[in-house]
């Protein structure tokens, strides 16, 4: 069944809080914790990033942990603000269950009283889901709370190949089939999260005692189980995923590296000594799309990889962008540029490609790197492009920015309608 499959799969958990927030229930102090796994990219963001962002922004956990035995996963987790629990070899086998990992974490952190097992394979989780579910434990006295979704599926008994027994309906009367709107449906686990007390975990279960379910709407109930689920999940998460506290529509400036972002990093030199680069028309179109939506775009180059004046003039003419040469202190010069324009970091999108860009990638409200960027830059960026440098990466990031702006504006309009209606 769903619960069994989830527990046997080497999945993700979210455990927060060695110095956990104190929540008082029945006069007791309780530590709330959460654990997470998997670094495959989903819509340009590490899979764990979607749920890490929700867990951190829920403000229900003082610290968020990723449980892993892999160095690359540890780097990604720390880049997204999580602490890391290094799993032992005993619970890192293919046959190990999520419960094995959670029990090990509980043993190593005896101060934790409640653990939230969050699965990264359900990336449409939002902070309000965690807050409301946790309150069922802290305020209503439940010992375990798990997420479910309402399904309207008519189920039939399976008949094994070669079997002589006829199938039978499991949840309907075929002679009186209900209409969907006349049937409440059934509640099914969606695998998004499981809150459990320490006592239950020590007993070897995630659900027990005084238990309750937390119902999530179908649009938030995305479960990635097999590879074919990924394309559907990418479309769903772009529409219903959680993108953070800062509203993306505030982005007013994109700073984009010329070499290694707009171009593939190669400089061609003619016989006469003239420097030439290749610029993809898809990328220049992406820049124009941003400009039409009121986003200023400035192309930048560093002292370590300068652009000649003639080349800068040609790029400026082709893209309609200012081209600026920065020195070694990239962050400092970018900050001075922001001050001149009266901008905050959350209003800036930054596209870089290597170690010198790391600070700006981390600080910017939105940031991205091309697919072929080195790991140090990928770990610092908030979005990793499917496309390589000079081959559509700038266009992809431009579309991502515009999609987030559209999503935010749509949400603002819904909020306005809601306020005016009720």
């Amino acid at each position: 069944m769903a619960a069994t499959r989830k527990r046997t799969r080497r999945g993700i958990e979210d455990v927060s809080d060695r110095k956990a927030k104190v929540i008082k229930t029945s006069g007791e102090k309780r530590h709330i914790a959460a654990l997470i796994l998997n670094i495959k990219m989903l819509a340009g963001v590490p899979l764990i990033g979607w749920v890490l962002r929700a867990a951190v922004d829920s403000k229900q956990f003082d610290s968020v942990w990723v449980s892993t035995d892999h160095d690359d996963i540890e780097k990604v987790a720390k880049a997204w603000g999580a602490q890391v629990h290094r799993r032992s070899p005993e619970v890192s086998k293919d046959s190990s269950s999520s419960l094995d990992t959670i029990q090990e974490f509980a043993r190593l952190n005896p101060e934790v009283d409640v653990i939230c097992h969050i699965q990264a394979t359900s990336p449409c989780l939002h902070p309000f889901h965690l807050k409301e579910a946790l309150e069922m434990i802290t305020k209503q006295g439940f010992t375990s709370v798990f997420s479910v979704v309402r399904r309207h599926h008519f189920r039939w008994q399976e008949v094994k190949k070669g079997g002589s027994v006829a199938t039978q309906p499991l949840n309907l009367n075929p002679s009186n089939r209900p209409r969907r709107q006349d049937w409440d449906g059934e509640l099914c686990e969606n695998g998004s999260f499981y809150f459990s007390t320490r006592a239950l975990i020590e007993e070897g279960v995630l659900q027990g005692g005084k238990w309750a379910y937390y119902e999530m709407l179908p649009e938030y109930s995305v479960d990635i189980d097999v590879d074919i689920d990924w394309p559907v999940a990418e479309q769903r998460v772009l529409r219903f995923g959680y993108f953070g506290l800062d509203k993306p529509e505030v982005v007013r400036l994109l700073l984009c590296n010329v070499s290694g972002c707009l171009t593939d990093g190669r400089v061609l030199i003619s016989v006469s000594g003239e420097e030439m680069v290749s610029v993809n028309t898809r990328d220049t179109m992406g820049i124009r799309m941003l400009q039409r939506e009121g986003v200023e775009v400035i192309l930048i180059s560093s002292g370590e990889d300068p652009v000649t004046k003639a080349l800068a003039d040609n790029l400026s003419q082709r893209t309609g962008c200012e081209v600026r040469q920065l020195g070694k202190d990239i962050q400092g010069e970018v900050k001075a540029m922001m001050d001149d324009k009266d901008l905050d970091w959350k209003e800036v999108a930054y596209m870089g490609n290597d170690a010198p860009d790391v600070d700006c990638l981390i600080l910017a409200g939105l940031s991205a790197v091309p697919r072929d960027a080195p790991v140090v830059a990928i770990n610092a960026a908030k979005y990793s492009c499917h496309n390589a440098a000079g081959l559509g990466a700038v266009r992809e990031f431009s579309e991502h920015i515009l999609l987030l702006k559209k999503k935010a504006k749509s949400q603002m309009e819904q909020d306005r309608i809601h306020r005016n209606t009720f």
Side-chain angles (χ1 to χ4, degrees):
M1 305 303 290
T4 302
R5 173 173 58 81
K6 292 300 183 185
R7 293 177 189 169
T8 57
R9 185 171 62 194
R10 284 184 65 191
I12 171 172
E13 301 94 71
D14 184 292
V15 179
S16 112
D17 166 296
R18 181 166 293 180
K19 299 178 180 177
K21 182 183 300 182
V22 175
I23 299 179
K24 297 182 179 180
T25 302
S26 301
E28 298 179 356
K29 293 183 178 179
R30 308 177 78 182
H31 288 247
I32 311 299
L35 266 207
I36 309 176
L37 246 177
N38 195 317
I39 59 171
K40 188 171 180 178
M41 306 302 290
L42 179 68
V45 175
L47 188 58
I48 60 173
W50 293 100
V51 292
L52 272 173
R53 187 155 49 195
V56 171
D57 287 356
S58 73
K59 302 187 186 306
Q60 302 304 299
F61 313 109
D62 286 318
S63 60
V64 175
W65 294 76
V66 169
S67 174
T68 184
D69 62 338
H70 199 285
D71 291 341
D72 287 342
I73 295 178
E74 178 174 354
K75 291 177 182 177
V76 171
K78 290 181 177 178
W80 280 79
Q83 298 185 52
V84 175
H85 161 66
R86 293 293 298 206
R87 299 187 320 193
S88 69
E90 288 74 21
V91 299
S92 300
K93 304 172 185 177
D94 288 339
S95 59
S96 300
S97 69
S98 296
L99 181 59
D100 294 333
T101 302
I102 297 171
Q103 287 179 316
E104 178 184 74
F105 180 88
R107 287 195 300 271
L108 295 175
N109 297 271
E111 71 278 12
V112 174
D113 294 306
V114 178
I115 291 178
C116 177
H117 169 209
I118 301 176
Q119 305 220 80
T121 46
S122 298
C124 287
L125 182 69
H126 281 241
F128 74 86
H129 294 137
L130 295 171
K131 181 177 184 296
E132 292 175 358
L134 180 56
E135 287 178 349
M136 297 175 71
I137 288 182
T138 59
K139 295 183 178 181
Q140 300 180 40
F142 290 101
T143 57
S144 63
V145 177
F146 52 93
S147 57
V148 301
V149 62
R150 192 172 299 273
R151 301 293 189 198
H152 293 78
H153 296 161
F154 293 134
R155 296 182 292 107
W156 290 77
Q157 182 179 357
E158 180 182 4
V159 176
K160 298 297 184 181
K161 187 175 182 179
S164 58
V165 179
T167 185
Q168 296 293 327
L170 297 178
N171 65 345
L172 79 153
N173 179 358
S175 63
N176 186 26
R177 291 174 63 92
R179 297 184 305 167
R180 179 185 176 92
Q181 59 266 39
D182 296 331
W183 181 41
D184 289 338
E186 297 179 324
L187 295 176
C188 306
E189 290 186 21
N190 68 359
S192 187
F193 59 81
Y194 299 82
F195 279 96
S196 309
T197 61
R198 166 179 289 276
L200 286 177
I201 291 169
E202 290 176 345
E203 291 174 9
V205 295
L206 291 177
Q207 297 157 297
K210 183 182 178 182
W211 55 22
Y213 62 79
Y214 175 85
E215 184 175 352
M216 295 173 64
L217 295 176
E219 53 263 39
Y220 300 117
S221 299
V222 179
D223 184 21
I224 302 173
D225 190 23
V226 294
D227 286 343
I228 197 173
D229 294 332
W230 281 87
V232 175
E234 283 204 313
Q235 294 301 314
R236 187 73 69 84
V237 79
L238 287 173
R239 184 173 181 184
F240 297 109
Y242 174 68
F243 290 88
L245 293 172
D246 291 331
K247 295 186 180 299
E249 82 275 6
V250 302
V251 171
R252 295 166 52 192
L253 171 67
L254 168 63
L255 298 173
C256 177
N257 270 269
V258 173
S259 180
C261 289
L262 183 62
T263 73
D264 60 8
R266 296 182 300 169
V267 178
L268 306 179
I269 302 177
S270 68
V271 175
S272 62
E274 182 182 7
E275 292 187 355
M276 296 176 291
V277 296
S278 174
V279 178
N280 196 299
T281 55
R282 286 184 294 165
D283 292 325
T284 55
M285 178 57 70
I287 289 174
R288 293 191 184 98
M289 290 165 59
L290 288 175
Q291 292 169 332
R292 285 197 293 267
E293 292 296 320
V295 178
E296 182 181 4
V297 181
I298 296 178
L299 302 178
I300 59 176
S301 64
S302 67
E304 297 179 359
D305 193 12
V307 173
T308 64
K309 184 179 186 304
L311 181 55
D313 290 342
N314 286 335
L315 286 173
S316 181
Q317 183 177 2
R318 177 170 290 273
T319 63
C321 301
E322 177 186 357
V323 181
R324 287 204 186 188
Q325 179 79 37
L326 303 182
K328 292 183 178 181
D329 183 14
I330 295 178
Q331 179 187 338
E333 294 189 44
V334 168
K335 183 62 170 65
M337 192 187 314
M338 290 164 47
D339 290 342
D340 289 341
K341 297 177 178 295
D342 195 25
L343 296 176
D344 191 83
W345 278 108
K346 68 180 181 180
E347 301 172 292
V348 175
Y350 188 94
M351 190 167 195
N353 66 91
D354 215 328
D357 300 306
V358 166
D359 290 340
C360 291
L361 288 170
I362 293 173
L363 291 170
L366 291 175
S367 61
V369 293
R371 182 187 67 194
D372 50 349
V375 173
V376 64
I378 291 175
N379 288 343
K382 298 176 177 65
Y383 183 90
S384 294
C385 295
H386 295 292
N387 295 303
L391 296 174
V394 173
R395 169 65 176 266
E396 181 182 342
F397 187 42
S398 298
E399 291 179 341
H400 181 68
I401 294 172
L402 294 175
L403 179 64
L404 297 188
K405 288 170 68 69
K406 182 178 179 181
K407 175 185 173 70
K409 290 178 181 178
S410 175
Q411 184 60 54
M412 290 175 63
E413 180 64 17
Q414 291 178 18
D415 292 343
R416 183 187 65 78
I417 294 173
H418 180 79
R419 288 194 301 270
N420 291 343
T421 305
F422 299 98

